[in-house]
Amino acid sequence: MRNPFIFAAVFFTAMLVAAQTSQPVALTIYNQNFAVARTFLDLDLHAGINEITTDSVTSRLEPDSVVLRDPSGKRVVHVVEQNYDSAIVSQEWLLEKYEGKTIDFQVFGAAGPRIVQGKIIRAGFNRPQEYTFDGQMIGGQSAQPLIEVDGKMQFQLPGTPLFPATTDGMLLKPTLRWQINSGSSDRFNAELAYITGGLSWESTYNVVAPDNSDVTGDEKADVLGWVTIHNQSGTDFPEARIKLMAGDVAKIQGQQGGYGGPARMQMEAKALDMMQPGVTQKAFDDFHLYDLNRTVALRDGETKQVQFIDAANVSMRRSYLYDGLGEQMQPIYAGNVNQNQGYGLGGENTRVLIVEEIKNSEANHLGMPLPAGRVRLYRRDRDGQMEFVGESLINHTPEEETVKIPTGSAFDVKGSRRQTDFHVDYNKHMLDETFEIKLTNQKEQTVNVAVLEHMYRGENWEITEKSAHYNKLDSHTLKFSIAVPAKSEATLSYTVHYTW
């Protein structure tokens, strides 16, 4: 008869195995400071309970996002228990470990270094880099260490602490530990996937225009696009396959993500190797996924740049925009009209905005959906030197849409706006208001200015008189197109009739 105690002991023998990665880590990085990391672990299981550990994770991992599975679907990985420890060894951690014990401290003085013994009464703590998953700093409490030296207490370390040379219980990297119950001996590559904070990316664009500051039609420009990747995850990735997800993915913020924070800050700018495939994109769900198509090294605290657009002869057109109201008025409320004659007056804007427009189309040598980011515009002067002339932020821009880049205010084109007539008939519930918009142009050529006007007094309105045609952009915004001759001015006037 078999001894049941021996059988149980064999079945529940814990096998401690360090799982090794066999492939580069795959990272899909999102706009919102998190990423999905995927790697493969070589699992060598024995019958019974196996203790499996891996340090191929980050210090900003979201523990309850971990998925460990057989990618072939042939096996069920039965995880009995999972433990995650991101408390990497530090001086503070060792001081806590040796609380109540006496250690050596090295003190440096004029006579050279000497050793002083001190008993650690209280290790103290200072955790300014404790973060939630989404990067919000928490804690922030601190306490001074308390050390006994020669029978006296002091609230600071007497010198550099010298700890015994032991590694028991110390973690040099964040670690995941599992208890996995296996019915038989087996060995296979398991897929490990998890969500981690501390990884983010952004796109930037540099537009270089030729020497032609007075251009009125299309001009040809060069467009360079860069992807900038930031790694503040607390972990190095010696080999990583990186994809970038563009779009606003729903993610609940405020999850605890361990202890981490900024490390060294390096800058590495690398253009793509011309012998390797460039950055490609594809639609994924309702978002866009960009693949770098190469393996890169991404160290903790590093900022890496990869070029993903290099387009020449891109057509760009300049336009001018004048919004004389200059401020956002209060929302229109139903069933009434704001009858205050001075409402919306007194803060008129005189600046005319310069806007550069680029059609994101294949015919215009672009055509890739453009992730949101910063656009910088440079223009060459007559000497060929590039000068910075403005920058702006753009939203995610699909194919065939126009990128609009406000670059500043025109020096030689100005606007003014004034109310020329105002009348209210309280008995008939009517209000009439007339405005005059004057545009001046000191340039050597005619400019076309788009004038925005807002019907902000009430819901029911109509234009009864106008000196130029307009387009209705929404329920209370009009756009007039006005040509302003060189070294001259142009005037727009209109009357709006409100009822309630």
Side-chain angles (χ1 to χ4, degrees):
M1 180 177 179
R2 296 179 180 177
N3 188 326
F5 297 101
I6 296 176
F7 177 79
V10 171
F11 183 79
F12 289 105
T13 297
M15 303 301 297
L16 182 60
V17 179
Q20 302 296 322
T21 60
S22 56
Q23 296 184 20
V25 176
L27 296 173
T28 300
I29 306 175
Y30 292 71
N31 293 124
Q32 297 127 297
N33 195 35
F34 74 94
V36 174
R38 293 174 299 277
T39 188
F40 287 87
L41 304 179
D42 183 16
L43 293 188
D44 188 1
L45 303 179
H46 299 265
I49 300 296
N50 298 260
E51 292 279 352
I52 305 296
T53 67
T54 179
D55 57 13
S56 299
V57 293
T58 74
S59 61
R60 301 282 295 278
L61 176 148
E62 190 174 356
D64 56 7
S65 72
V66 172
V67 176
L68 184 66
R69 59 183 289 271
D70 176 11
S72 69
K74 298 177 181 179
R75 307 169 183 85
V76 176
V77 181
H78 186 197
V79 177
V80 178
E81 182 179 302
Q82 173 180 289
N83 295 280
Y84 170 65
D85 197 340
S86 63
I88 302 172
V89 63
S90 64
Q91 177 174 292
E92 289 77 11
W93 185 89
L94 284 172
L95 286 171
E96 290 181 4
K97 182 179 179 181
Y98 283 90
E99 275 186 349
K101 298 180 181 180
T102 299
I103 66 170
D104 292 338
F105 291 87
Q106 188 174 41
V107 180
F108 295 90
R114 61 188 179 93
I115 300 298
V116 173
Q117 286 194 325
K119 184 177 181 180
I120 304 172
I121 305 301
R122 182 180 66 195
F125 55 86
N126 182 14
R127 302 183 181 94
Q129 291 181 325
E130 189 173 355
Y131 292 90
T132 61
F133 168 78
D134 58 336
Q136 299 298 315
M137 192 164 61
I138 61 174
Q141 295 180 344
S142 62
Q144 291 177 294
L146 184 61
I147 311 296
E148 179 184 343
V149 180
D150 295 332
K152 297 181 179 180
M153 301 288 190
Q154 62 182 57
F155 282 99
Q156 62 181 8
L157 300 181
T160 303
L162 303 177
F163 300 100
T166 175
T167 59
D168 293 342
M170 291 197 308
L171 288 177
L172 301 180
K173 296 181 179 180
T175 301
L176 267 176
R177 301 191 308 275
W178 296 281
Q179 289 186 5
I180 298 178
N181 189 0
S182 179
S184 61
S185 296
D186 200 359
R187 185 169 186 170
F188 62 96
N189 267 348
E191 181 186 39
L192 168 63
Y194 58 90
I195 293 176
T196 176
L199 286 160
S200 62
W201 73 280
E202 59 192 11
S203 56
T204 56
Y205 306 89
N206 295 325
V207 180
V208 182
D211 168 28
N212 194 352
S213 59
D214 291 330
V215 66
T216 56
D218 287 352
E219 56 181 331
K220 300 299 182 182
D222 298 331
V223 178
L224 302 175
W226 291 88
V227 168
T228 302
I229 303 169
H230 307 279
N231 180 12
Q232 302 293 335
S233 68
T235 301
D236 292 337
F237 296 97
E239 289 185 293
R241 298 283 299 182
I242 295 178
K243 294 182 180 180
L244 310 170
M245 187 74 78
D248 299 322
V249 179
K251 182 73 177 73
I252 299 174
Q253 302 297 313
Q255 299 295 315
Q256 181 73 32
Y259 185 83
R264 65 189 180 275
M265 201 63 189
Q266 300 177 354
M267 187 61 141
E268 182 179 348
K270 293 184 177 180
L272 287 176
D273 188 338
M274 296 303 293
M275 299 302 293
Q276 295 182 346
V279 177
T280 58
Q281 75 82 31
K282 65 179 180 181
F284 180 81
D285 206 312
D286 273 321
F287 312 104
H288 282 275
L289 192 62
Y290 297 79
D291 193 337
L292 300 192
N293 288 306
R294 63 198 297 256
T295 300
V296 300
L298 187 61
R299 295 190 295 273
D300 180 40
E302 185 176 63
T303 296
K304 183 180 290 290
Q305 289 185 293
V306 176
Q307 185 175 312
F308 77 109
I309 292 178
D310 186 0
N313 295 318
V314 176
S315 293
M316 181 173 69
R317 177 178 290 269
R318 175 179 299 182
S319 62
Y320 295 90
L321 180 67
Y322 178 64
D323 189 344
L325 189 57
E327 60 180 285
Q328 182 64 41
M329 292 291 98
Q330 297 176 12
I332 300 168
Y333 54 96
N336 210 332
V337 163
N338 191 309
Q339 301 168 19
N340 179 3
Q341 181 175 354
Y343 180 62
L345 304 179
E348 288 84 355
N349 175 40
T350 62
R351 297 176 299 174
V352 175
L353 191 64
I354 306 168
V355 181
E356 302 287 355
E357 300 182 359
I358 298 175
K359 183 70 174 293
N360 181 26
S361 65
E362 187 174 348
N364 199 24
H365 308 289
L366 293 173
M368 175 188 290
L370 301 178
R374 183 193 301 264
V375 182
R376 295 181 177 91
L377 182 65
Y378 299 89
R379 187 175 293 279
R380 298 190 184 277
D381 63 16
R382 289 183 173 85
D383 298 329
Q385 181 175 333
M386 284 200 318
E387 302 291 353
F388 175 72
V389 293
E391 66 179 6
S392 183
L393 297 175
I394 64 169
N395 295 321
H396 299 305
T397 306
E399 297 178 63
E400 301 301 325
E401 288 198 3
T402 298
V403 178
K404 297 184 178 181
I405 313 167
T407 60
S409 302
F411 189 92
D412 294 318
V413 183
K414 299 294 181 183
S416 63
R417 177 180 184 269
R418 68 187 184 99
Q419 183 190 75
T420 59
D421 194 17
F422 182 85
H423 177 72
V424 179
D425 190 327
Y426 297 101
N427 294 326
K428 296 183 178 180
H429 299 280
M430 297 186 306
L431 185 153
D432 292 281
E433 186 175 29
T434 302
F435 281 99
E436 178 186 86
I437 295 91
K438 182 176 292 187
L439 301 167
T440 61
N441 173 25
Q442 299 303 322
K443 298 173 75 69
E444 298 292 341
Q445 67 280 338
T446 299
V447 297
N448 294 306
V449 180
V451 177
L452 297 184
E453 283 294 304
H454 308 274
M455 310 299 109
Y456 53 85
R457 289 189 178 276
E459 286 184 324
N460 300 319
W461 59 269
E462 64 173 329
I463 301 298
T464 55
E465 295 182 24
K466 62 183 185 301
S467 62
H469 295 290
Y470 64 85
N471 292 322
K472 189 174 180 180
L473 301 184
D474 56 41
S475 62
H476 61 280
T477 306
L478 307 181
K479 183 178 78 171
F480 297 85
S481 295
I482 306 298
V484 188
K487 300 292 184 180
S488 186
E489 63 182 38
T491 301
L492 162 70
S493 63
Y494 72 91
T495 299
V496 55
H497 178 72
Y498 293 95
T499 58
W500 69 96

